[in-house]
Amino acid sequence: MRIKPARILTYLFLIIAAFVSVFPLIWMMIAATNRSVDIMKGTLIPGTYFLENLKSVLNSNLGYVNAFKNSLWIAVVTTTLAMLVSSAAGYAFGVYRSKPKKAAFNVILLSMMVPFAALMVPLFRLFSRFSSIPGLKWIALNTSGAVIIISIATAFLIFFFRQNTAAFPKELIEAARLDGLSEYRIFFKIYMPTMNATYAAAIVVTFMTSWNNYLWPLIALQSEDKRTLPLIISAMGSSYTPDYGMIMTAIVISTIPTALIFFFMQKQFVAGMTGAVKG
């Protein structure tokens, strides 16, 4: 059986693309087992210094363990609240149609075109005033609430849920209303379980975005005990003589939560990104 040259080229291209995509991860894991001097030499052979690098990370005066806890807390709370708030907004825009709601949704879409760099100064000035307001101190600067609050209702998530709501069977809503269910019970007991694939995809995206968030935490979290993992890893690389073995080990550990979430939810993630709805 002869293989067509076009298919050979296709397989060759896919192999090269897969290697280019996976190589940084493989190199990072290999580098975590080597000394800094070996990494600088460009070695691609696994070493025996992973435990030493791990001890350096855990004993670092930068507070890696505390930063890991901060990142985990912020990512979990942000993801939980974002699923509730953004999905409710997307559901409302998808089910309750009207001209004012369409105009509001268009404004939300336009907000996606505004770069975050243009919002940093206004956000900083706004959140700096919350510290003097008793009921809003929990979202003032140098609190985890300041990082969480701006991520629970993003334009992308609202758009994502609204588009997937278009595939939601409206007959279920009508049947539930005839049975006497309130709008809240329809959302929590019918919509959310049915759209589990959409929620899974949104959870993966939101958790990864929150976990890797760097710019706003850099501005909002000013004390060392509040810093998150991206800030700590950045500080490791800014020293006069960076320990690349320690840095790579810290990065490998920091990728574990996101890798686990994607591993356990990959099927639902693919289904949710393609707009599948559980019948």
Side-chain angles (χ1 to χ4, degrees):
M1 180 178 178
R2 296 182 60 185
I3 301 177
K4 296 181 179 180
R7 178 165 296 185
I8 295 176
L9 292 177
T10 301
Y11 288 151
L12 182 61
F13 172 78
L14 292 176
I15 291 173
I16 295 175
F19 176 78
V20 171
S21 301
V22 176
F23 178 77
L25 178 62
I26 297 175
W27 180 83
M28 178 182 68
M29 297 176 67
I30 293 175
T33 65
N34 285 287
R35 298 177 301 173
S36 181
V37 62
D38 296 325
I39 297 173
M40 292 292 293
K41 293 179 180 178
T43 182
L44 294 176
I45 302 175
T48 59
Y49 291 88
F50 177 76
L51 292 179
E52 286 78 1
N53 292 332
L54 181 61
K55 290 179 182 178
S56 299
V57 171
L58 298 180
N59 297 329
S60 173
N61 56 5
L62 294 174
Y64 183 85
V65 176
N66 184 64
F68 190 96
K69 295 178 181 178
N70 292 338
S71 289
L72 188 62
W73 164 255
I74 291 174
V76 170
V77 175
T78 298
T79 303
T80 303
L81 294 178
M83 293 306 101
L84 181 62
V85 175
S86 296
S87 65
Y91 173 81
F93 281 120
V95 174
Y96 308 108
R97 303 272 182 139
S98 66
K99 289 185 178 180
K101 288 185 178 65
K102 184 177 181 180
F105 182 72
N106 290 335
V107 172
I108 292 175
L109 290 183
L110 288 175
S111 68
M112 297 177 65
M113 303 179 185
V114 181
F116 183 77
L119 303 176
M120 289 190 302
V121 174
L123 284 175
F124 179 83
R125 297 190 62 181
L126 175 65
F127 281 85
S128 63
R129 297 180 180 179
F130 290 156
S131 58
S132 60
I133 304 175
L136 297 178
K137 289 184 177 180
W138 63 279
I139 57 173
L141 289 178
N142 203 33
T143 64
S144 57
V147 179
I148 294 171
I149 194 69
I150 68 170
S151 303
I152 62 176
T154 63
F156 169 76
L157 279 181
I158 295 174
F159 171 78
F160 180 70
F161 277 105
R162 193 257 190 184
Q163 294 303 107
N164 281 273
T165 301
F168 182 77
K170 303 302 187 295
E171 296 80 7
L172 291 178
I173 299 177
E174 298 299 331
R177 288 171 178 170
L178 292 175
D179 289 339
L181 267 68
S182 64
E183 297 298 321
Y184 293 102
R185 295 184 65 185
I186 292 174
F187 176 76
F188 286 106
K189 293 186 177 296
I190 297 179
Y191 176 82
M192 294 182 72
T194 305
M195 303 292 289
N196 59 353
T198 301
Y199 276 95
I203 287 172
V204 173
V205 173
T206 305
F207 187 90
M208 293 180 65
T209 302
S210 177
W211 185 263
N212 297 322
N213 192 10
Y214 173 78
L215 188 55
W216 177 241
L218 177 65
I219 299 170
L221 305 177
Q222 301 168 348
S223 61
E224 294 184 358
D225 62 316
K226 300 291 185 180
R227 291 189 296 183
T228 57
L229 277 181
L231 304 183
I232 295 297
I233 294 174
S234 176
M236 288 181 179
S238 61
S239 60
Y240 185 73
T241 55
D243 187 342
Y244 293 107
M246 182 180 69
I247 294 173
M248 291 303 165
T249 303
I251 296 175
V252 168
I253 297 173
S254 67
T255 59
I256 292 176
T258 54
L260 288 176
I261 287 180
F262 184 80
F263 176 77
F264 287 111
M265 306 182 71
Q266 56 181 327
K267 292 183 179 180
Q268 294 86 347
F269 174 79
V270 174
M273 294 304 292
T274 55
V277 177
K278 180 181 178 181

